């Protein structure tokens, strides 16, 4: 038996195949337990977790302070809806706005919901200026989630085409292409939006120049600058927010109007957030938007705990992030089919000149969880508590694979 459900892995697989929507290409690994940077399957096999539930388990598994807050709050008050206040939404909003320099926060349950909220603000803001100011400018290869609004601003045809027609007036431009951005933005643009590091799009970092251009164009055309930090935000890159890594100490800081957050915020509990300047947040007056579950007591209490721990471990993310960069760079020097290390801090991509998909099961076999995105980019999103020795073990396992030559077509 693999767990308290009383089913073994084969039975779980059969039940899933028969009864679940077949919308995931799931690996046949049944994870039953986690501790720190490790997770364990039903056979007791140990894996070093270099994907952390797609960037969610920022403090790893079974973090004592998360467990304590969770158990205490579960026995006190889990949920009371947004008809009433509870003690944790206000303090969480205060903390996130202080850290980001924005004015107000809204809480929801996922990244896609945060994006939907941001899009409603953008549309509402534009329409308050002019009925035809409804345009959104987004990036090719972006990823914004799976709801219809989020898919409408996702620059990847495979996610869009089956569901067209989508929200109109969205233009996609190349990341880091200043002239393309300039040509796309006009007085009809309500918002310019992008991920400071494209996650699903292959760990592509947006340059300071591009971000500055977007901020300038947004100001010039009275559009909102919307940054999607759902994957790259909240400490993953060594700063609370990736947009803070653009500050060079000389030019004026780049200030977004809206920032979307989710993945690591709840340390595994579903919670998303939108942070906004007053002029953006004030677009939504009472009754215009809301969520039944959003920002409930349990989720907010844990998010506050996660942020408290984050205050302590942020310097460590920068150090281990630098070590990660150094060790992955050695692979670029050593193998001619490994072309580039991407990303920042503990959000890392290793780009190959060959398809990377087959590396994922081969590494799972060796006891490492990670994934592959954009076809050729090995993606690593370890917990923030990852140790340099864990990184060394990962690199050693990759070397064992790469010594046999470029990965085979999956
Ligand atoms: C994961 C992700 C989303 C969507 O979040 P969900 O919680 O899956 O809805 C949106 N934007 C980015 C950048 C993401 O990485």
């Amino acid at each position: 038996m693999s767990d308290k459900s009383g089913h073994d892995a084969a039975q779980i697989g059969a039940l899933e195949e028969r009864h679940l929507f077949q919308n995931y290409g799931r690996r046949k690994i049944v994870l039953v337990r986690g501790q720190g940077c490790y997770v364990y399957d039903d056979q007791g096999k140990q894996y070093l977790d270099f994907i952390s539930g797609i960037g969610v388990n920022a403090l790893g598994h079974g973090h004592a302070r998360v467990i304590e807050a969770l158990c205490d709050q579960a026995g006190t008050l889990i949920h009371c809806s947004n008809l009433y206040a509870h003690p944790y939404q206000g303090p969480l909003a205060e903390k996130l706005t202080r850290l980001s320099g924005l004015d107000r926060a809204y809480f929801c349950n996922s990244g896609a919901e945060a994006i939907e909220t941001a899009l409603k603000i953008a549309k509402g803001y534009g329409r308050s200026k002019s009925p035809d100011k409804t345009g959104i400018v987004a990036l090719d290869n972006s990823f914004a989630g799976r709801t219809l609004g989020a898919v409408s601003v996702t620059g990847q045809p495979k996610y869009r085409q089956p569901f067209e027609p989508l929200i109109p007036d969205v233009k996609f431009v190349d990341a880091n292409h200043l002239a393309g951005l300039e040509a796309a933005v006009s007085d009809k643009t309500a918002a310019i939006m992008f991920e400071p590091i494209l996650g699903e799009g292959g760990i592509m970092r947006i340059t300071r120049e591009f971000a500055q251009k977007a901020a300038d164009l947004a100001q010039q055309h009275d559009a909102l600058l919307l940054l999607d930090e759902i994957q790259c935000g909240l400490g993953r890159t060594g700063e609370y927010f990736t947009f803070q890594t653009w500050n060079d100490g000389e030019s004026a800081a780049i200030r977004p109007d809206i920032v979307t957050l989710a993945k690591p915020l709840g340390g595994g509990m579903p919670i998303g957030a939108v942070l906004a300047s007053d002029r953006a947040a004030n677009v939504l007056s009472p009754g215009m938007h809301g969520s039944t579950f959003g920002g409930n007591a349990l989720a907010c209490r844990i998010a506050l705990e996660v942020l408290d721990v984050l205050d302590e471990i942020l310097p460590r993310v920068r150090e281990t992030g630098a070590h990660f960069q150094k060790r992955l760079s050695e692979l670029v020097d050593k193998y001619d089919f490994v072309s580039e290390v991407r990303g920042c801090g503990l959000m890392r991509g290793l780009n190959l000149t060959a398809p990377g998909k087959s590396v994922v099961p081969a590494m799972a076999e060796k006891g490492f969880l990670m994934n592959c995105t954009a076809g050729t980019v090995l993606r690593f999103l370890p917990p923030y508590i990852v140790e340099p020795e864990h990184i060394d073990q990962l690199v050693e396992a990759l070397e064992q694979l790469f010594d046999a030559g470029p990965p085979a077509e999956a």
Side-chain angles (χ1 to χ4, degrees):
M1 294 302 138
S2 63
D3 69 326
K4 288 168 190 147
S5 80
H7 296 102
D8 66 22
Q11 290 169 319
I12 291 167
L15 287 170
E16 291 204 345
E17 208 175 308
R18 171 67 187 82
H19 297 289
L20 279 183
F21 285 14
Q22 295 297 300
N23 59 315
Y24 295 114
R26 237 207 266 298
R27 312 219 157 270
K28 300 216 176 312
I29 296 174
V30 180
L31 296 176
V32 295
R33 184 168 72 82
Q35 188 56 53
C37 294
Y38 294 97
V39 282
Y40 300 86
D41 72 10
D42 59 311
Q43 305 297 310
K45 182 177 163 106
Q46 175 180 281
Y47 300 86
L48 244 179
D49 191 356
F50 269 86
I51 190 69
S52 50
I54 319 188
V56 166
N57 302 303
L59 306 183
H61 303 271
H63 195 283
R65 286 179 54 184
V66 173
I67 294 173
E68 197 189 325
L70 189 108
C71 292
D72 183 60
Q73 193 58 37
T76 309
L77 181 71
I78 292 177
H79 174 89
C80 65
S81 87
N82 286 298
L83 293 173
Y84 311 98
H86 63 66
Y88 301 105
Q89 233 184 71
L92 183 58
E94 188 279 328
K95 177 138 197 178
L96 286 170
T97 51
R98 177 161 42 83
L99 294 173
S100 63
L102 287 161
D103 300 314
R104 294 179 180 278
Y106 166 82
F107 296 106
C108 51
N109 312 285
S110 67
E113 273 178 89
I115 295 284
E116 294 293 330
T117 306
L119 290 175
K120 280 172 85 172
I121 293 174
K123 293 276 182 191
Y125 181 81
R127 286 186 60 94
S128 75
K129 308 280 167 177
S130 155
D132 64 353
K133 192 174 177 63
T134 55
I136 308 278
V137 175
L139 299 190
D140 276 323
N141 294 314
S142 61
F143 181 84
R146 307 305 200 130
T147 54
L148 282 171
V151 163
S152 300
V153 292
T154 290
Q156 302 191 51
K158 66 175 175 185
Y159 294 133
R160 305 165 51 80
Q161 266 162 6
F163 308 110
E164 284 172 346
L166 295 164
I167 293 180
D169 304 339
V170 183
K171 282 186 194 159
F172 294 100
V173 302
D174 282 346
N176 294 333
H177 193 273
L178 272 62
L181 180 66
E182 183 147 27
V185 178
S186 73
D187 288 344
K188 292 182 177 169
T189 306
I192 304 171
M193 69 178 287
F194 53 91
E195 303 155 71
I197 301 175
L198 282 80
E200 308 291 321
I203 318 289
M204 279 285 294
R205 232 174 140 168
I206 294 302
T207 60
R208 184 183 204 288
E209 295 67 47
F210 187 86
Q212 184 67 62
K213 186 78 186 171
D216 292 348
L217 286 167
Q219 178 155 39
Q220 198 179 320
H221 295 282
D222 193 11
L224 299 175
L225 179 62
L226 195 175
L227 298 180
D228 178 358
E229 296 227 8
I230 289 169
Q231 188 166 151
C232 66
L234 296 171
R236 181 150 294 281
T237 56
E239 300 291 337
Y240 283 101
F241 298 93
T242 299
F243 74 79
Q244 294 165 337
T245 67
W246 287 322
N247 291 341
D248 56 11
E250 288 169 27
S251 343
I254 291 169
R255 274 184 54 94
D257 295 286
I258 303 177
V259 174
T260 51
L261 299 171
K263 289 183 166 91
L265 180 55
M269 283 294 293
I271 177 170
V274 181
L275 311 179
S277 60
D278 271 325
R279 72 168 180 156
N282 291 341
V283 167
L284 298 177
S285 53
M288 273 174 81
H289 192 58
S291 163
T292 300
F293 290 115
N296 82 16
L298 185 65
C300 288
R301 167 93 187 265
I302 290 165
L304 272 168
E305 199 67 30
V306 168
L307 291 177
D308 261 10
V309 178
L310 193 54
D311 291 338
E312 292 166 25
I313 64 174
L314 213 49
R316 191 170 138 183
V317 172
R318 292 194 275 270
E319 281 165 34
T320 39
H323 182 72
F324 208 176
Q325 159 86 43
K326 176 172 154 286
R327 294 304 324 264
L328 290 176
S329 301
E330 289 168 22
L331 300 177
V332 176
D333 297 338
K334 192 166 170 189
Y335 302 97
D336 58 5
F337 55 90
V338 180
S339 64
E340 190 189 2
V341 182
R342 292 182 180 172
C344 189
L346 292 175
M347 179 170 187
R348 291 292 173 184
L350 191 64
N351 191 32
L352 310 180
T353 56
K357 220 174 154 193
S358 70
V359 175
V360 179
M363 286 296 284
E365 188 69 37
K366 289 179 174 294
F368 296 86
L369 300 185
M370 45 158 292
N371 86 343
C372 173
T373 186
T376 59
V377 182
L378 306 183
R379 177 170 56 167
F380 308 101
L381 301 168
Y384 301 171
I385 56 169
V386 71
E387 305 272 349
E389 299 74 55
H390 297 143
I391 290 167
D392 295 343
Q393 288 163 30
L394 173 91
V395 169
E396 199 175 305
L398 287 169
E399 282 177 324
Q400 284 170 14
L401 282 185
F402 292 168
D403 280 345
E409 195 93 36

